[in-house]
Amino acid sequence: MKHINQNLNFAKMSNFDLTDSTKREIANVTDEWPTSSGKTQYQRFLYGKDLTYRQAVLAKCAECCGGYVDGRGDCKATKCPLYPLMPYRDKD
Ligand code: SF4
């Protein structure tokens, strides 16, 4: 999987640990992500907007899959509690 930005090492950080400036930096990187289910929702999260449960799932999966820069497909993480709601489940 491609790294969305080599200078941002936030993979082991919770979103709740990120500073506002780091969130803005990540949001700028996400502008380069391809259109996908979850891109807009993840950006809304970074900008502090409210999300529904469904939007939060889409946002999390987009983040988890690195913005789907390698393509929109099934993450195949069947042990993940969000997997039944993954937007590209069974779409390879
Ligand atoms: S379902 Fe897949 S893409 Fe979504 S959070 Fe879980 S592991 Fe990540």
mmCIF file of all heavy atoms in Angstrom, residues 57 60-61 64-65 68 75 77 80-83 86, ligand 1:
data_model
loop_
_atom_site.group_PDB
_atom_site.id
_atom_site.type_symbol
_atom_site.label_atom_id
_atom_site.label_comp_id
_atom_site.label_asym_id
_atom_site.label_seq_id
_atom_site.Cartn_x
_atom_site.Cartn_y
_atom_site.Cartn_z
ATOM 1 N N VAL A 57 -18.318 5.060 9.912
ATOM 2 C CA VAL A 57 -17.768 3.802 9.391
ATOM 3 C C VAL A 57 -17.076 4.052 8.057
ATOM 4 O O VAL A 57 -15.953 3.592 7.814
ATOM 5 C CB VAL A 57 -18.876 2.737 9.234
ATOM 6 C CG1 VAL A 57 -18.357 1.526 8.466
ATOM 7 C CG2 VAL A 57 -19.408 2.310 10.595
ATOM 8 N N LYS A 60 -13.816 5.827 8.678
ATOM 9 C CA LYS A 60 -12.788 4.962 9.262
ATOM 10 C C LYS A 60 -12.200 4.016 8.226
ATOM 11 O O LYS A 60 -10.981 3.812 8.169
ATOM 12 C CB LYS A 60 -13.364 4.172 10.449
ATOM 13 C CG LYS A 60 -12.360 3.262 11.109
ATOM 14 C CD LYS A 60 -11.149 4.046 11.608
ATOM 15 C CE LYS A 60 -10.009 3.126 11.997
ATOM 16 N NZ LYS A 60 -8.802 3.906 12.319
ATOM 17 N N CYS A 61 -13.063 3.420 7.399
ATOM 18 C CA CYS A 61 -12.563 2.495 6.383
ATOM 19 C C CYS A 61 -11.700 3.240 5.354
ATOM 20 O O CYS A 61 -10.685 2.711 4.914
ATOM 21 C CB CYS A 61 -13.716 1.761 5.714
ATOM 22 S SG CYS A 61 -14.504 0.538 6.795
ATOM 23 N N CYS A 64 -8.436 3.795 7.095
ATOM 24 C CA CYS A 64 -7.749 2.511 7.286
ATOM 25 C C CYS A 64 -7.132 2.028 5.978
ATOM 26 O O CYS A 64 -6.050 1.438 5.979
ATOM 27 C CB CYS A 64 -8.748 1.492 7.832
ATOM 28 S SG CYS A 64 -8.061 -0.114 8.213
ATOM 29 N N CYS A 65 -7.799 2.290 4.866
ATOM 30 C CA CYS A 65 -7.315 1.832 3.557
ATOM 31 C C CYS A 65 -6.470 2.895 2.855
ATOM 32 O O CYS A 65 -6.248 2.813 1.642
ATOM 33 C CB CYS A 65 -8.495 1.433 2.680
ATOM 34 S SG CYS A 65 -9.280 -0.092 3.223
ATOM 35 N N TYR A 68 -7.794 4.602 -0.235
ATOM 36 C CA TYR A 68 -7.999 3.740 -1.407
ATOM 37 C C TYR A 68 -7.122 4.177 -2.580
ATOM 38 O O TYR A 68 -7.525 4.065 -3.749
ATOM 39 C CB TYR A 68 -9.484 3.733 -1.830
ATOM 40 C CG TYR A 68 -10.429 3.293 -0.738
ATOM 41 C CD1 TYR A 68 -11.211 4.222 -0.056
ATOM 42 C CD2 TYR A 68 -10.549 1.959 -0.376
ATOM 43 C CE1 TYR A 68 -12.079 3.837 0.955
ATOM 44 C CE2 TYR A 68 -11.419 1.558 0.619
ATOM 45 C CZ TYR A 68 -12.173 2.503 1.280
ATOM 46 O OH TYR A 68 -13.037 2.106 2.280
ATOM 47 N N CYS A 75 -11.116 -4.939 1.941
ATOM 48 C CA CYS A 75 -9.944 -5.001 2.825
ATOM 49 C C CYS A 75 -9.691 -6.427 3.301
ATOM 50 O O CYS A 75 -8.608 -6.735 3.783
ATOM 51 C CB CYS A 75 -10.134 -4.074 4.026
ATOM 52 S SG CYS A 75 -11.418 -4.623 5.172
ATOM 53 N N ALA A 77 -10.508 -7.899 5.886
ATOM 54 C CA ALA A 77 -10.249 -8.017 7.325
ATOM 55 C C ALA A 77 -11.524 -8.530 8.009
ATOM 56 O O ALA A 77 -12.221 -7.794 8.697
ATOM 57 C CB ALA A 77 -9.818 -6.674 7.906
ATOM 58 N N CYS A 80 -12.380 -7.716 11.636
ATOM 59 C CA CYS A 80 -12.648 -6.339 12.059
ATOM 60 C C CYS A 80 -14.142 -6.181 12.338
ATOM 61 O O CYS A 80 -14.977 -6.602 11.535
ATOM 62 C CB CYS A 80 -12.218 -5.351 10.972
ATOM 63 S SG CYS A 80 -12.616 -3.640 11.384
ATOM 64 N N PRO A 81 -14.503 -5.543 13.435
ATOM 65 C CA PRO A 81 -15.923 -5.367 13.751
ATOM 66 C C PRO A 81 -16.665 -4.519 12.721
ATOM 67 O O PRO A 81 -17.891 -4.621 12.612
ATOM 68 C CB PRO A 81 -15.928 -4.676 15.121
ATOM 69 C CG PRO A 81 -14.535 -4.622 15.589
ATOM 70 C CD PRO A 81 -13.613 -5.064 14.498
ATOM 71 N N LEU A 82 -15.949 -3.713 11.952
ATOM 72 C CA LEU A 82 -16.606 -2.874 10.947
ATOM 73 C C LEU A 82 -16.749 -3.574 9.595
ATOM 74 O O LEU A 82 -17.395 -3.044 8.683
ATOM 75 C CB LEU A 82 -15.835 -1.558 10.763
ATOM 76 C CG LEU A 82 -15.738 -0.650 11.979
ATOM 77 C CD1 LEU A 82 -14.996 0.635 11.622
ATOM 78 C CD2 LEU A 82 -17.122 -0.323 12.527
ATOM 79 N N TYR A 83 -16.163 -4.744 9.467
ATOM 80 C CA TYR A 83 -16.128 -5.407 8.156
ATOM 81 C C TYR A 83 -17.510 -5.603 7.525
ATOM 82 O O TYR A 83 -17.672 -5.379 6.321
ATOM 83 C CB TYR A 83 -15.378 -6.737 8.240
ATOM 84 C CG TYR A 83 -15.192 -7.379 6.892
ATOM 85 C CD1 TYR A 83 -14.309 -6.841 5.965
ATOM 86 C CD2 TYR A 83 -15.920 -8.509 6.530
ATOM 87 C CE1 TYR A 83 -14.153 -7.403 4.709
ATOM 88 C CE2 TYR A 83 -15.770 -9.087 5.285
ATOM 89 C CZ TYR A 83 -14.893 -8.528 4.376
ATOM 90 O OH TYR A 83 -14.749 -9.093 3.129
ATOM 91 N N MET A 86 -18.149 -2.506 5.646
ATOM 92 C CA MET A 86 -17.102 -1.980 4.768
ATOM 93 C C MET A 86 -17.705 -1.698 3.386
ATOM 94 O O MET A 86 -18.345 -2.572 2.803
ATOM 95 C CB MET A 86 -15.983 -3.031 4.672
ATOM 96 C CG MET A 86 -14.619 -2.500 4.307
ATOM 97 S SD MET A 86 -14.334 -2.523 2.547
ATOM 98 C CE MET A 86 -12.802 -1.589 2.477
HETATM 99 S S1 SF4 B 1 -13.493 -3.007 7.805
HETATM 100 FE FE1 SF4 B 1 -11.485 -3.064 6.866
HETATM 101 S S2 SF4 B 1 -11.134 -1.018 6.078
HETATM 102 FE FE2 SF4 B 1 -12.814 -0.891 7.563
HETATM 103 S S3 SF4 B 1 -11.830 -0.405 9.511
HETATM 104 FE FE3 SF4 B 1 -12.000 -2.620 9.420
HETATM 105 S S4 SF4 B 1 -10.050 -3.310 8.565
HETATM 106 FE FE4 SF4 B 1 -10.236 -1.120 8.121
#
